[in-house]
Amino acid sequence: MTEQTLSFEAEVARLLDIVANALYSNREIFLRELISNASDACDRLRYESLTKPELVAGDGDFQVTLSVDAKAPSLTIADNGIGMSREELVGNLGTIARSGTAAYVDALESKEEAADLTQIGQFGVGFYSAFMVAEQVEVYSRRAGEETGWRWCSDGKGSFTVAESEEAPARGTRIVVRLKKDAKEFVQADRLREIVRTYSDHIAIPIRLEASGNGEAAETLNQASALWTRQKSQISDEQYKEFYHHVGHGFDEPWMRLHFKAEGVIEYTGLIFVPSAKPFDLFDPTRKHRVKLYVKRVFITDECDELLPSYLRFLRGVIDSEDLPLNISREVLQDNPLVRKIKSAVVKRVLAELKKKAEKAPEDYARFWDEFGPVLKEGLYEDPDQKDKILPLCRFHSTAGEELTSL
């Protein structure tokens, strides 16, 4: 197939214009976003390979690799994950298929302060942050199990090209960021080490920096173990915060976190956060939660409706089960009794922690209520089993004074 030139969707074009022209001081977050996307791609292939082992063809050693060319100058981020077909390249990198994006871009355009760009990952558009530092971005990708590889290329100024490519990896995606003159710091090994250890240490697959020659071996920059499996005493507040940013695509500070391990009849680990600000899709009609389900550290899905009720859809985080079968299908999950038990226990735990907050820090809790009260109140009529626990958490205006009060 010959090279084809296509235009970005209107919202993407507007967003790219804002990103490319913003005087943005924290440009290093582009690397966090690209590494996060690469990690997700590896997670998705790991899941698919459970039922289609031929997709990994004996290469199940998932990793993200960084390499630099100081002369170009360019930075390359590669993964051996699921990869993308031509349709996926066009769909994922040329459009933003998320509700609320147009309103978000409108809000960005109306703000003078570029700091608002810290929300960029929240819409699944973290890829576009590369244009803060790039004159041009090339994406080489081949979907696992497919023969044809593809090259996507753009300077971020309204259009992109797509063509077949023999240079695509055997499987996965390779992103070549051709750096602007004022972004040469991102070919320095020490700078890359600092960024990865600050933002991506929690990523559960190795992030390797390729040696620049001289017989050096590739260097692993992160701990490469799932954060939620570590002891609480071994995790700093900063590491918790960056994991929240990764799993929740938020850039606010987490308002509350719950890190727990349940043992007994069923065994699972949870690391769950309450944001301090409304997620952009809080009132999306689908009312889906954004907590990811893992089984034995393998990502299964972020669309298990039965894992949490819709009135807790503001939660972000992961639940990792030791008892569910690894090859469980998303359909079977909906009616699985183990999932229902996990849901019941997690809901009780979250409501109990909110009760403690309400009692011990009422002013802090009032801020939570301002953000998420209308959503939590949905549980009063949707979940009769938990009504007695939700009602004491509700706050109302009264004739007794300015302060909100419970019943």
Side-chain angles (χ1 to χ4, degrees):
M1 182 181 288
T2 56
E3 184 174 275
Q4 211 176 354
T5 300
L6 301 168
S7 296
F8 284 112
E9 182 189 55
E11 274 81 11
V12 174
R14 291 166 63 202
L15 181 68
L16 283 171
D17 185 59
I18 297 167
V19 168
N21 295 302
L23 295 173
Y24 189 52
S25 60
N26 196 24
R27 298 193 297 174
E28 65 197 40
I29 65 118
F30 87 92
L31 185 55
R32 170 182 64 185
E33 294 301 315
L34 296 184
I35 289 174
S36 182
N37 290 347
S39 168
D40 287 347
C42 291
D43 277 345
R44 293 185 186 282
L45 179 57
R46 185 185 277 129
Y47 174 72
E48 283 205 21
S49 68
L50 294 172
T51 52
K52 300 175 184 176
E54 67 276 9
L55 291 180
V56 296
D59 177 20
D61 181 21
F62 295 105
Q63 61 183 329
V64 179
T65 304
L66 309 181
S67 55
V68 299
D69 181 344
K71 291 180 181 178
S74 67
L75 169 65
T76 299
I77 300 95
D79 68 72
N80 56 349
I82 192 73
M84 287 178 277
S85 64
R86 181 189 182 280
E87 292 71 24
E88 288 169 325
L89 276 171
V90 173
N92 294 345
L93 306 187
T95 62
I96 307 177
R98 299 287 288 274
S99 63
T101 305
Y104 165 69
V105 176
D106 288 340
L108 271 185
E109 287 184 327
S110 68
K111 300 278 188 184
E112 291 183 1
E113 295 183 13
D116 287 299
L117 282 172
T118 55
Q119 299 178 54
I120 193 165
Q122 198 171 352
F123 289 81
V125 295
F127 168 78
Y128 303 120
S129 62
F131 287 100
M132 290 190 291
V133 300
E135 288 185 344
Q136 184 187 66
V137 177
E138 295 172 275
V139 180
Y140 297 87
S141 196
R142 193 188 314 264
R143 202 176 203 287
E146 295 190 1
E147 291 185 7
T148 308
W150 299 93
R151 174 183 181 266
W152 180 102
C153 184
S154 179
D155 60 5
K157 295 177 180 174
S159 65
F160 58 91
T161 61
V162 182
E164 286 187 22
S165 174
E166 294 182 359
E167 295 181 55
R171 180 191 85 213
T173 300
R174 183 172 74 250
I175 299 174
V176 182
V177 180
R178 304 205 176 277
L179 297 164
K180 296 176 180 178
K181 289 180 181 178
D182 64 351
K184 292 181 181 178
E185 65 186 278
F186 299 111
V187 297
Q188 298 170 6
D190 285 345
R191 186 76 173 101
L192 297 177
R193 289 186 190 99
E194 174 194 8
I195 294 169
V196 170
R197 286 168 186 164
T198 299
Y199 295 111
S200 305
D201 194 55
H202 60 269
I203 298 288
I205 61 174
I207 302 167
R208 297 197 169 113
L209 176 61
E210 282 195 345
S212 54
N214 302 322
E216 299 171 20
E219 176 187 357
T220 300
L221 303 182
N222 63 324
Q223 289 197 40
S225 64
L227 188 86
W228 61 89
T229 64
R230 302 181 205 167
Q231 296 293 322
K232 293 180 192 179
S233 59
Q234 298 172 357
I235 308 172
S236 68
D237 288 342
E238 194 65 27
Q239 287 173 315
Y240 273 124
K241 185 175 78 172
E242 287 309 325
F243 182 74
Y244 164 69
H245 291 162
H246 167 71
V247 78
H249 296 293
F251 289 79
D252 56 325
E253 300 281 329
W255 179 76
M256 184 177 81
R257 71 170 181 255
L258 291 80
H259 189 181
F260 54 89
K261 182 167 185 175
E263 296 177 312
V265 180
I266 54 175
E267 186 175 331
Y268 60 92
T269 303
L271 179 49
I272 292 176
F273 301 88
V274 177
S276 57
K278 289 187 187 78
F280 77 97
D281 56 354
L282 188 63
F283 295 104
D284 187 287
T286 59
R287 302 167 73 233
K288 290 184 179 294
H289 68 78
R290 303 292 176 193
V291 172
K292 299 173 184 284
L293 176 65
Y294 283 72
V295 174
K296 301 179 179 73
R297 268 71 64 203
V298 176
F299 171 71
I300 302 298
T301 182
D302 52 8
E303 296 183 354
C304 178
D305 293 340
E306 293 304 307
L307 190 60
L308 280 175
S310 60
Y311 64 85
L312 293 180
R313 61 185 177 274
F314 51 83
L315 297 176
R316 299 292 185 263
V318 302
I319 299 291
D320 188 353
S321 168
E322 293 293 327
D323 299 304
L324 288 165
L326 261 175
N327 60 352
I328 193 165
S329 72
R330 291 183 174 94
E331 291 73 30
V332 171
L333 278 170
Q334 304 305 324
D335 299 309
N336 190 283
L338 281 177
V339 174
R340 287 198 294 274
K341 287 180 181 177
I342 292 172
K343 172 184 176 179
S344 176
V346 171
V347 168
K348 288 176 182 176
R349 190 182 291 266
V350 169
L351 295 179
E353 288 299 316
L354 288 174
K355 183 182 179 184
K356 287 181 189 175
K357 275 275 194 179
E359 292 171 351
K360 294 180 179 179
E363 290 184 6
D364 197 18
Y365 183 78
R367 286 193 286 273
F368 160 81
W369 184 258
D370 284 342
E371 296 288 336
F372 304 113
V375 176
L376 187 61
K377 277 196 290 188
E378 294 172 11
L380 291 173
Y381 55 87
E382 287 186 357
D383 192 352
D385 291 341
Q386 302 297 341
K387 182 178 177 181
D388 291 342
K389 292 184 176 66
I390 297 171
L391 192 56
L393 298 173
C394 295
R395 296 293 180 266
F396 307 92
H397 290 285
S398 78
T399 56
E402 297 284 325
E403 301 286 324
L404 290 171
T405 183
S406 69
L407 294 180

